[in-house]
Amino acid sequence: MTAPPPRHALVTGASSGIGLAIAQRLLREGWAVTGLSRRPPDLVDPRFTHRAFDLLDGDIASLGDLRPDALVHAAGVLRVGRLGELDHAAGAAMWHLHVDVATRLADALAPHLPDGGRIVLIGSRVANGAPGRSQYAATKAALLGLARSWGAELAPRGITVNVVAPGATDTPMLHDPARAGVAPRRPPIGRFVQPEEIAALTAFLLSPEAGAITGQQIVVCGGASLST
């Protein structure tokens, strides 16, 4: 008997950080993965395909031909600034990447997802608000509105849509000089969240066992939200 083909996930931001960790985790669990990023990751696996793509400028509608079983939008960027010093171009770029790209991806791919398909958006604990990060927080807060709306639309087909919202996670973004004015705080557990922990939760949300979870935001913050 011929084995069924592996499930196929499309993962954005797969070149590093959380996106790369998610791609690696899914490959270990037997998925085929197409990674979208401008530069290729250091990842070699016969079930991994890298597609060089600029999410800010590429033709996202053309990705509909990929026909994945799951979409994970992990690409992101953080720019900080306090009132009176906001960089409005940076705010527009974050909105474009986090919200508009997510919308365009879902619009292109959701009609072709199989019944029981999955969508996971990588948000942020900062969606609840944080000084010096208002523009970033607004873009991440918007993802929950998308997830709840799409979850309601797609529930009759068994397609779930959820947001995974990490706290301070040990990725290149955490150490980006562009955020020097707003330094990350170590969570109460005494260490930063690891990308592999976000990947494990994402993989669960993509699994059949998570079929009753939709329209939710799950925060992974190492206890940081317990004191604020």
Side-chain angles (χ1 to χ4, degrees), residues 2 13 33 71 98 112 127 157 163-164 169 174 198 218 222:
T2 303
V33 176
L71 163 66
H98 300 158
H112 307 293
R157 295 176 52 201
V163 178
V164 174
T169 304
L174 189 75
I198 305 304
I218 303 174

Side-chain angles (χ1 to χ4, degrees), residues 14-185:
S15 62
S16 66
I18 290 173
L20 176 57
I22 290 170
Q24 291 170 324
R25 175 68 182 233
L26 294 180
L27 290 168
R28 289 199 302 272
E29 294 194 2
W31 288 73
V33 176
T34 297
L36 296 185
S37 56
R38 285 179 294 185
R39 57 183 179 82
D42 184 14
L43 177 57
V44 178
D45 188 289
R47 286 175 285 107
F48 178 75
T49 302
H50 178 255
R51 185 158 172 171
F53 196 87
D54 185 346
L55 289 167
L56 294 176
D57 197 38
D59 179 11
I60 291 176
S62 69
L63 300 174
D65 63 359
L66 291 175
R67 298 293 195 271
D69 301 292
L71 163 66
V72 180
H73 183 37
V77 64
L78 170 64
R79 295 292 180 264
V80 300
R82 296 181 178 273
L83 287 172
E85 302 173 350
L86 295 180
D87 182 335
H88 298 289
M94 286 189 288
W95 186 270
H96 186 178
L97 179 59
H98 300 158
V99 184
D100 189 49
V101 167
T103 303
R104 292 174 182 273
L105 284 167
D107 192 50
L109 297 174
H112 307 293
L113 287 174
D115 291 353
R118 300 285 187 263
I119 299 174
V120 171
L121 308 174
I122 302 301
S124 171
R125 184 183 90 86
V126 173
N128 290 330
R133 305 180 204 177
S134 59
Q135 294 165 301
Y136 179 78
T139 69
K140 293 299 188 177
L143 296 182
L144 182 57
L146 295 179
R148 293 185 67 81
S149 300
W150 297 341
E153 285 185 37
L154 298 171
R157 295 176 52 201
I159 297 173
T160 66
V161 188
N162 292 289
V163 178
V164 174
T169 304
D170 193 8
T171 67
M173 184 185 292
L174 189 75
H175 308 289
D176 187 344
R179 66 175 295 166
V182 185
R185 290 185 292 179

Side-chain angles (χ1 to χ4, degrees), residues 125-131 133 167 185-188 219 221-228:
R125 184 183 90 86
V126 173
N128 290 330
R133 305 180 204 177
R185 290 185 292 179
R186 196 174 299 274
V219 178
C221 65
S225 60
L226 299 177
S227 58
T228 59

